[in-house]
Amino acid sequence: MNDACIKSDKDASNIRMRQIRETAVSEVIESERETRLSADGLIRLLEDDILNSVLKPGDRLDEQSLARRFEVSRTPVREALRHLASSGLIDIRKNQGATVKRLTTAELIEMFQVMAEYEGLSARLSARRMTTAEIAEMRNWNEECRVRADKEDHDGFYAANNMFHEAIFHGSRNEFLQEESRKLRNRLNAYRRHITTQPRRMQKSVIEHGRIADAIVAGDEDTAHSLMRQHVDLLAGTAADVLLALESETTE
Amino acid sequence: MNDACIKSDKDASNIRMRQIRETAVSEVIESERETRLSADGLIRLLEDDILNSVLKPGDRLDEQSLARRFEVSRTPVREALRHLASSGLIDIRKNQGATVKRLTTAELIEMFQVMAEYEGLSARLSARRMTTAEIAEMRNWNEECRVRADKEDHDGFYAANNMFHEAIFHGSRNEFLQEESRKLRNRLNAYRRHITTQPRRMQKSVIEHGRIADAIVAGDEDTAHSLMRQHVDLLAGTAADVLLALESETTE
DNA sequence: CTTTTTTGATTTGCATACAACATTAGTCGG
DNA sequence: CCGACTAATGTTGTATGCAAATCAAAAAAG
C-alpha cells in the first residue's frame, strides 16, 4: 500500500497534470491530515509549494518552522531538504540553512538550452516510435492550443502547451529522458510563466507545433529534432530579454 | 576555509581527473584522517567508492557499518545516503536500506541516448564559442588518443578520450550542461569501461574525433552537433550488445 | 519432507538532546 | 555619533535512544 520509495525521483509522473488543475493546492490545512507523514511525503509537499510559488526564490526554509508546521521532528525535515537540494530546487549552505534557489539569467539561459535539447531528442525519438493513438493525442492538444490562443486564454494555452510537449515526451518511450526533463522543468517552473505570455507568441507556437507534428508523423527524425529545438530555443531567446528585465527588479 | 556547501552538486569539477590518475583511491585508511569528516565529506567518499567500483551495483550500504567505518553517527550517514539516492547513484527503499543502483540494459540505453545529446549540444556550443587555446587543447587530447590507440593502450586511451570530450564540454561555456553531463557520466561509469575496449573502436574514434574537431573549428554547429551525437550513439549501439551479454551473467 | 507460522534479531525511521557555528544586539572605546 | 569587540540568542550539525518494520531462522502443522 505504501511503497513510497525514493528511488531516483521516479513516481511523480502525473505531477504536471495536478499542477495544471489545482495550481495552488496546498490550501489544505496540515492539521487536517490523517496520517503523520514522513520524509518522503514532506518532499512532495515542499516541492509543490516551491513549484506553485508559495515559496519564492530566495525564501528561507527554516527547519524548526517546517517541523512545527508538518508536526514532525527536524530529522525528516532535514532529509527532505537534502533531497530538494540535490534535485536543485533549494540551496543548503553549511550552518546557514536552506533557501529556495534563485537563478541568475545566465543560469536560466543555460538551462533552457539543455531543455531545448531534451525536447529535441524527445521529438526525434517520437518520430521513430509514436503510435497512431499517441499521434492523435498530440494533435488534439495542439488543437486545444489553437482554441486557447484564439481566445487569448493564456492560462489555458499554458496548460495545453504543456500537454502537447508532454505527449511528445511520452511518445519518446525514454523514461529517463522524461524524468530528467521533468526535473529540469520543475527547476525552471518559477520563471516559466513570464515567458509564454509574449504578444504573438501563442499563434506562432501553434504553427510551429503543427510543423513539428508533421515531421513526427512523417518519421523525419532530423527535422523533428531540429524544429523542436528551434521552437524551444526561440522561447529561450525571447525569455532572455524578459529575464534580464526581471533581474533588475528586486525579486524579494 | 571549509565552505563545503552542497549547492547542487557543484564543486567536484576535477573529479574526473582524479579518477584517471588514482583509479582506486580510497586505500587511505579512514582512521588516518585528521578531522572527523561530516555528511558533506561522506558524500564525496561514498561517491568515489561507487565510481571506482569499490562498491558494485547491487551492493548493500548498511548505515551502521558505514557509521562505524567513518567514525560518525548514523545521522550524517543517512543524509549522505539520501543525497546519493537523489543523484541517482543508489536506491533507497523504505525500511529496506540502500543499495548501489543496478541499471537494466533498457535504462542504460536510455541514458546513453541522453548522454549523446549532452555531447552533441556541447559540440554545437563549442563550435560557437571555443577559443583558439581551447581548440589547441582539444586537438592535443585527440593526438594523445591516437598515440594510445596505436599502442593498444586501452586505459590510456580511455583517459585521453575522456579529456577530449571534457575539453569540448568546457568549450561549450555552459556550466549547467557540464554539471548535468558529469552527473550522468558518474551514473554510467560502472558500465562504461566495458564499452570502449571494443576491437577497432579506438582507431575509429580517433578519426571521428578529428571530424568533430574540424566542424568545431569551422564553426559549423549543426555538423558538429550531428557528428558528435552519432559518435556517442555508436558507442551506445555497440554498447547495447555488450550490455545484453553482461546482463545474462550474475553481476552479483 | 514440505509448507506455513511465529518469534527473535537486525535495521531502518523518527524524536530528542547536546554541541558547534552564525548572527545579532549590546557595550565599550574612539 | 560611529566603529569594533563581546555576549547573548537562535539555528544548524551530530549523537543517541526508542519504536516500528523487515528479514531470517526455528518451530509447528500438513
Side-chain angles (χ1 to χ4, degrees), chain B:
Chain B
M1 189 221 273
N2 52 15
D3 193 34
C5 317
I6 295 218
K7 297 192 92 167
S8 49
D9 270 307
K10 224 92 174 192
D11 58 271
S13 43
N14 53 355
I15 266 198
R16 313 209 38 247
M17 247 326 208
R18 283 162 51 209
Q19 263 179 250
I20 290 167
R21 294 213 205 86
E22 309 170 63
T23 303
V25 195
S26 50
E27 294 120 19
V28 195
I29 311 301
E30 265 77 20
S31 47
E32 286 181 14
R33 258 181 296 94
E34 341 70 39
T35 65
R36 170 155 297 148
L37 41 67
S38 52
D40 296 334
L42 290 186
I43 292 171
R44 192 64 66 77
L45 287 178
L46 288 174
E47 213 173 58
D48 279 354
D49 274 359
I50 295 174
L51 262 39
N52 297 318
S53 297
V54 176
L55 294 166
K56 296 190 176 57
D59 281 1
R60 187 98 184 280
L61 291 163
D62 180 50
E63 293 180 1
Q64 289 198 119
S65 318
L66 292 172
R68 272 196 299 274
R69 173 173 158 207
F70 293 116
E71 297 174 329
V72 292
S73 83
R74 279 175 49 221
T75 311
V77 172
R78 284 178 62 79
E79 297 194 347
L81 290 180
R82 280 265 179 195
H83 183 95
L84 293 176
S86 48
S87 77
L89 283 171
I90 67 177
D91 270 345
I92 296 181
R93 280 177 355 208
K94 198 168 169 94
N95 292 319
Q96 290 178 203
T99 54
V100 178
K101 180 142 190 167
R102 172 178 285 158
L103 298 173
T104 66
T105 308
E107 287 173 318
L108 276 167
I109 292 172
E110 291 185 0
M111 291 163 88
F112 267 110
Q113 279 179 326
V114 173
M115 193 65 201
E117 276 314 317
Y118 285 157
E119 301 257 11
L121 177 56
S122 77
R124 171 183 297 277
L125 296 176
S126 283
R128 290 192 210 154
R129 301 172 180 171
M130 231 181 193
T131 67
T132 37
E134 288 169 333
I135 287 171
E137 204 190 323
M138 168 181 71
R139 295 247 194 226
N140 279 342
W141 283 118
N142 193 34
E143 201 45 49
E144 183 74 14
C145 284
R146 183 192 311 280
V147 172
R148 302 295 185 162
D150 289 344
K151 289 187 195 162
E152 292 280 328
D153 173 5
H154 290 284
D155 287 343
F157 179 85
Y158 178 80
N161 181 61
N162 277 346
M163 292 312 293
F164 174 80
H165 287 269
E166 184 95 343
I168 295 176
F169 272 112
H170 190 259
S172 76
R173 297 288 152 69
N174 185 322
E175 293 212 19
F176 179 73
L177 175 61
Q178 289 181 65
E179 183 54 25
E180 290 301 299
S181 70
R182 186 190 68 78
K183 283 195 224 167
L184 180 51
R185 190 167 20 232
N186 282 352
R187 294 174 68 173
L188 292 171
N189 191 71
Y191 304 86
R192 227 168 176 250
R193 283 178 183 262
H194 297 284
I195 295 156
T196 36
T197 59
Q198 294 282 74
R200 291 287 173 113
R201 193 56 230 159
M202 291 192 292
Q203 277 76 15
K204 281 188 188 162
S205 281
V206 172
I207 294 170
E208 288 168 11
H209 286 178
R211 296 216 183 95
I212 292 165
D214 290 342
I216 288 176
V217 174
D220 182 351
E221 40 177 292
D222 286 335
T223 305
H225 186 142
S226 166
L227 285 176
M228 179 63 101
R229 180 161 38 68
Q230 284 164 24
H231 171 60
V232 180
D233 246 346
L234 254 180
L235 289 182
T238 65
D241 305 330
V242 180
L243 296 168
L244 282 166
L246 277 176
E247 194 128 293
S248 46
E249 307 172 19
T250 38
T251 325
E252 166 231 13

Side-chain angles (χ1 to χ4, degrees), chain A:
Chain A
M1 190 219 274
N2 52 16
D3 193 32
C5 318
I6 294 216
K7 297 194 88 167
S8 49
D9 270 309
K10 224 92 177 194
D11 60 271
S13 43
N14 52 354
I15 268 198
R16 313 209 38 247
M17 249 320 208
R18 283 162 51 209
Q19 262 177 249
I20 290 167
R21 294 212 206 88
E22 309 170 65
T23 302
V25 194
S26 50
E27 294 121 18
V28 196
I29 312 302
E30 265 76 21
S31 47
E32 286 181 15
R33 259 181 296 94
E34 341 70 39
T35 66
R36 168 155 299 147
L37 40 67
S38 52
D40 296 334
L42 290 187
I43 292 170
R44 193 64 66 77
L45 287 178
L46 288 173
E47 213 173 57
D48 279 353
D49 273 359
I50 294 174
L51 294 182
N52 297 318
S53 296
V54 176
L55 294 166
K56 296 190 175 56
D59 281 2
R60 186 96 185 279
L61 291 164
D62 180 51
E63 293 180 2
Q64 290 198 111
S65 318
L66 291 173
R68 272 196 300 274
R69 174 173 157 208
F70 294 115
E71 296 175 329
V72 291
S73 83
R74 278 174 51 219
T75 311
V77 171
R78 283 179 61 80
E79 296 192 347
L81 290 179
R82 275 278 212 232
H83 182 94
L84 293 177
S86 48
S87 78
L89 283 170
I90 67 176
D91 270 346
I92 296 181
R93 277 173 7 204
K94 193 161 174 125
N95 291 321
Q96 291 179 201
T99 54
V100 178
K101 180 142 190 166
R102 172 178 286 157
L103 297 174
T104 67
T105 308
E107 287 173 318
L108 276 167
I109 292 172
E110 291 185 359
M111 290 162 89
F112 267 110
Q113 279 179 327
V114 173
M115 194 65 201
E117 276 315 314
Y118 285 158
E119 300 257 11
L121 177 57
S122 77
R124 172 183 296 277
L125 296 176
S126 283
R128 289 191 211 155
R129 302 172 178 171
M130 234 183 192
T131 66
T132 37
E134 288 169 334
I135 287 172
E137 204 190 322
M138 167 180 72
R139 295 246 195 226
N140 279 341
W141 283 117
N142 194 34
E143 200 46 48
E144 183 74 13
C145 284
R146 183 193 311 280
V147 172
R148 302 295 186 164
D150 289 343
K151 289 187 194 162
E152 293 279 328
D153 173 4
H154 289 285
D155 287 343
F157 179 85
Y158 180 78
N161 180 60
N162 276 345
M163 292 312 293
F164 174 81
H165 287 269
E166 182 94 345
I168 295 177
F169 272 113
H170 190 259
S172 77
R173 298 288 153 69
N174 185 324
E175 293 212 21
F176 179 73
L177 175 61
Q178 289 181 65
E179 184 55 25
E180 290 301 301
S181 70
R182 186 189 69 78
K183 283 196 225 167
L184 181 50
R185 188 164 24 230
N186 282 352
R187 294 174 68 173
L188 292 171
N189 192 70
Y191 304 85
R192 225 166 177 250
R193 282 175 184 265
H194 297 284
I195 295 156
T196 36
T197 59
Q198 295 281 72
R200 290 288 173 116
R201 194 56 229 159
M202 290 193 290
Q203 277 76 15
K204 280 187 188 162
S205 280
V206 172
I207 295 171
E208 289 168 11
H209 286 177
R211 295 215 183 95
I212 292 164
D214 290 343
I216 289 176
V217 174
D220 183 350
E221 41 177 288
D222 286 334
T223 304
H225 186 141
S226 164
L227 285 176
M228 179 63 101
R229 180 161 38 69
Q230 284 164 22
H231 171 60
V232 180
D233 247 345
L234 254 180
L235 290 181
T238 66
D241 305 330
V242 180
L243 295 168
L244 282 166
L246 277 176
E247 194 128 291
S248 45
E249 306 173 20
T250 38
T251 326
E252 168 231 10

